[in-house]
Amino acid sequence: MSELVTWHVDDLPNAEPCFQIELKAPRANALEPGLLRDLHRAFDALEQSGAQKALISGGRNFSTGGDVARFAKAAQSGQIENYTEQVVPVLQALVLRMIEMPTVLASAVHGAATGGSAGLVFASDLVVAAPDAFVQPYYGVVGFAPDGGWTALLPELIGGASALGWVMANHRHRAEQLANLGLVQAVDQNPEMRAMALLRDVDTGTALSTKSLFWGDARRANVKARLDAETEAFRALIGRPETLTKMQDFLQPSG
């Protein structure tokens, strides 16, 4: 347990245990090394708990993805490669872990789920979004390559053309659009409670069997290879001088 990620077990209304993980990090749950490390620790605790249903939530903003300010600072100090290794491969391992985990994973999303943090949404089995929720890539704005499954998972879920256009055009898809794409199962003012209701109503055996069939060996191997390719692409772009310039421009106050 930490100040960045907390977890506990509560019973669903049908008395099934539900493992609840909440992101509580500063800077809108930016994906920095401490948060990613502690999220892995939360998944360790989930596996040890024996619970077969879990809920991930993040407060007012689910997560704003990688911390551009920390990436820029690392670049300015000559530590960008080292900082990248503490973030991107760790995130990729979380995404892969989620699709492999024999647990029904639900996410409740308020506000932003941007950049790599969208991978936690893409890898969830059930997603409930608040009306203010949105997902946006932002990669071209800061000069990063996609990570978190934008090219590894999303084409599998919504089709290659839709996924490619989304990243290229940096669209902001809001809750209803996400529902239309099938990435969100419900839009609700209280996504945590609605997600708990969905988890309650899911037959555990059927859900886990379905998840195992959907993410079979060949699909999981393909996802892993594509996540590895994302990581390599990120490494290739992150050290470019123009990437640092884009990051600095992004961080400049507007107006």
Side-chain angles (χ1 to χ4, degrees), residues 74-88:
Q76 291 164 339
S77 63
Q79 296 295 315
I80 190 62
E81 290 83 5
N82 178 59
Y83 185 75
T84 296
E85 293 309 304
Q86 296 178 61
V87 175
V88 179

Side-chain angles (χ1 to χ4, degrees), residues 68-79:
V68 178
R70 290 191 63 172
F71 272 104
K73 182 178 180 180
Q76 291 164 339
S77 63
Q79 296 295 315

Side-chain angles (χ1 to χ4, degrees), residues 42 72 112 127 177 223:
V127 181
Q177 294 169 296
V223 168

Side-chain angles (χ1 to χ4, degrees), residues 59-114:
R60 190 174 72 173
N61 282 292
F62 186 76
S63 171
T64 50
D67 189 331
V68 178
R70 290 191 63 172
F71 272 104
K73 182 178 180 180
Q76 291 164 339
S77 63
Q79 296 295 315
I80 190 62
E81 290 83 5
N82 178 59
Y83 185 75
T84 296
E85 293 309 304
Q86 296 178 61
V87 175
V88 179
V90 185
L91 170 63
Q92 308 297 67
L94 281 169
V95 170
L96 186 64
R97 191 172 182 180
M98 287 175 71
I99 67 170
E100 293 180 335
M101 191 175 289
T103 307
V104 186
L105 293 172
S107 285
V109 181
H110 292 269
T114 52

Side-chain angles (χ1 to χ4, degrees), residues 12-201:
L12 296 168
N14 63 356
E16 271 189 290
C18 179
F19 194 93
Q20 298 193 37
I21 299 170
E22 186 174 0
L23 312 181
K24 291 187 171 182
R27 298 176 65 87
N29 293 320
L31 299 179
E32 50 81 29
L35 173 65
L36 293 165
R37 177 199 64 223
D38 289 350
L39 192 47
H40 270 292
R41 290 179 57 211
F43 283 172
D44 291 342
L46 166 57
E47 291 173 342
Q48 293 162 10
S49 75
Q52 294 182 298
K53 294 180 177 179
L55 173 64
I56 304 170
S57 61
R60 190 174 72 173
N61 282 292
F62 186 76
S63 171
T64 50
D67 189 331
V68 178
R70 290 191 63 172
F71 272 104
K73 182 178 180 180
Q76 291 164 339
S77 63
Q79 296 295 315
I80 190 62
E81 290 83 5
N82 178 59
Y83 185 75
T84 296
E85 293 309 304
Q86 296 178 61
V87 175
V88 179
V90 185
L91 170 63
Q92 308 297 67
L94 281 169
V95 170
L96 186 64
R97 191 172 182 180
M98 287 175 71
I99 67 170
E100 293 180 335
M101 191 175 289
T103 307
V104 186
L105 293 172
S107 285
V109 181
H110 292 269
T114 52
S117 74
L120 305 178
V121 177
F122 301 154
S124 296
D125 305 310
L126 297 166
V127 181
V128 180
D132 69 344
F134 67 92
V135 175
Q136 188 170 356
Y138 278 109
Y139 293 105
V141 179
V142 292
F144 295 175
D147 62 348
W150 278 91
T151 68
L153 275 182
L154 192 60
E156 182 85 19
L157 300 174
I158 67 171
S162 295
L164 177 64
W166 190 354
V167 176
M168 291 289 191
N170 191 35
H171 284 312
R172 175 172 293 196
H173 283 353
R174 299 188 182 276
E176 291 296 344
Q177 294 169 296
L178 297 170
N180 290 336
L181 288 169
L183 296 173
V184 162
Q185 282 64 61
V187 178
D188 197 282
Q189 290 285 354
N190 190 332
E192 293 83 5
M193 291 297 294
R194 185 68 175 274
M196 293 282 280
L198 288 178
L199 286 170
R200 175 199 64 203
D201 293 340

